[in-house]
Amino acid sequence: GPFTLTGTATDDGLPTGSTLNTTWTLLSGPGTANITTPTALTTQVTVTTAGQHQFQLRATDGTLATTDTVTITVATNTAPTVNAGVDMTIALNGSAQLSGTVSDDGLPSGSTLTNLWTKLSGPGTVTFANPALATTSASFSAVGTYVLELSSSDGALITHDSATVEVTAPASPPAPTISPAGGSFVQSVVVYAQPSVPAATLRYTVDGSDPTAVSTELLGSVVLTTSATLKVRSFSASLPPSDIATAPL
């Protein structure tokens, strides 16, 4: 970006009627320099190439001239450094804690880093808590392998890095608790059941088949009047069906 050259020049006023004139020039350095107002003591300059540049300020009263020099080092803008963090495996009902890091050299002057998480590949939808933050979380709509990319731009240069997230099917919750869990009875028995996860619906069968989402709902307890094999299972909207609790009665 542009920078400012600021010089000073004074004179004794001789020869009588003379005018002091000043001029900035580029003595050495890579590339070229655009000096906005070369005859002004204070002027803006833009160079085409980073590196060390030596500028000369010359002042003359029409008879005598004096020069002085100043060296300006223009730094090279380097791309941001980006690390998307470690690869990981999570269950579908969980979220990936993305711990990306970004850093930059602060150039161009006055620039601000812009970060963005995106999905490069994967079978489902990825929802980022805040895609503009290097450290954020992500949830997934389907089981599978996802490649997530973190990019960072300083306005002139951009860098990318990626992390792989393996999303697996969530594990089945434990089987419900049944009491009594077995035994014999003479006329009838009341069997109590509790789900292993909060807010789950219990469903049961007494014909030896495994309970499904449309099996009879068990509301706290069930009364059996004949011998049967009671099977109970929890169902929840956010989890797979639980393991099955079996009670031969």
Side-chain angles (χ1 to χ4, degrees):
F3 56 90
T4 301
L5 292 175
T6 301
T8 59
T10 58
D11 190 47
D12 58 5
L14 299 175
T16 301
S18 63
T19 301
L20 186 65
N21 296 307
T22 59
T23 306
W24 282 104
T25 55
L26 175 67
L27 287 185
S28 64
T32 60
N34 177 26
I35 304 174
T36 303
T37 310
T39 56
L41 287 172
T42 299
T43 182
Q44 279 204 323
V45 182
T46 303
V47 296
T48 59
T49 308
Q52 280 197 342
H53 300 75
Q54 188 177 52
F55 293 89
Q56 176 184 269
L57 177 61
R58 181 179 185 270
T60 179
D61 60 7
T63 302
L64 301 174
T66 304
T67 61
D68 193 23
T69 61
V70 62
T71 298
I72 305 294
T73 300
V74 179
T76 302
N77 180 31
T78 58
T81 300
V82 177
N83 188 324
V86 299
D87 299 339
M88 66 188 74
T89 299
I90 67 164
L92 180 61
N93 59 330
S95 62
Q97 301 304 310
L98 303 174
S99 299
T101 58
V102 297
S103 61
D104 191 46
D105 57 5
L107 298 173
S109 179
S111 63
T112 301
L113 280 182
T114 301
N115 307 316
L116 183 66
W117 280 102
T118 56
K119 184 190 87 168
L120 287 184
S121 63
T125 301
V126 181
T127 302
F128 297 95
N130 189 335
L133 295 179
T135 299
T136 187
S137 62
S139 57
F140 304 82
S141 66
V143 169
T145 301
Y146 295 78
V147 178
L148 308 182
E149 179 182 81
L150 174 62
S151 62
S152 184
S153 170
D154 63 8
L157 301 173
I158 188 169
T159 306
H160 310 266
D161 192 33
S162 62
T164 299
V165 180
E166 189 74 32
V167 180
T168 61
S172 296
T177 301
I178 297 178
S179 179
S184 58
F185 57 93
V186 177
Q187 292 182 330
S188 64
V189 63
V190 179
V191 182
Y192 298 90
Q194 284 189 326
S196 59
V197 291
T201 299
L202 293 177
R203 297 190 181 275
Y204 74 98
T205 60
V206 292
D207 60 3
S209 64
D210 292 342
T212 68
V214 295
S215 298
T216 304
E217 185 175 356
L218 194 159
L219 297 171
S221 65
V222 60
V223 179
L224 299 181
T225 58
T226 60
S227 297
T229 299
L230 175 66
K231 291 188 175 183
V232 184
R233 197 176 207 176
S234 298
F235 292 86
S236 172
S238 60
L239 295 170
S242 73
D243 292 337
I244 298 173
T246 302
L249 296 162

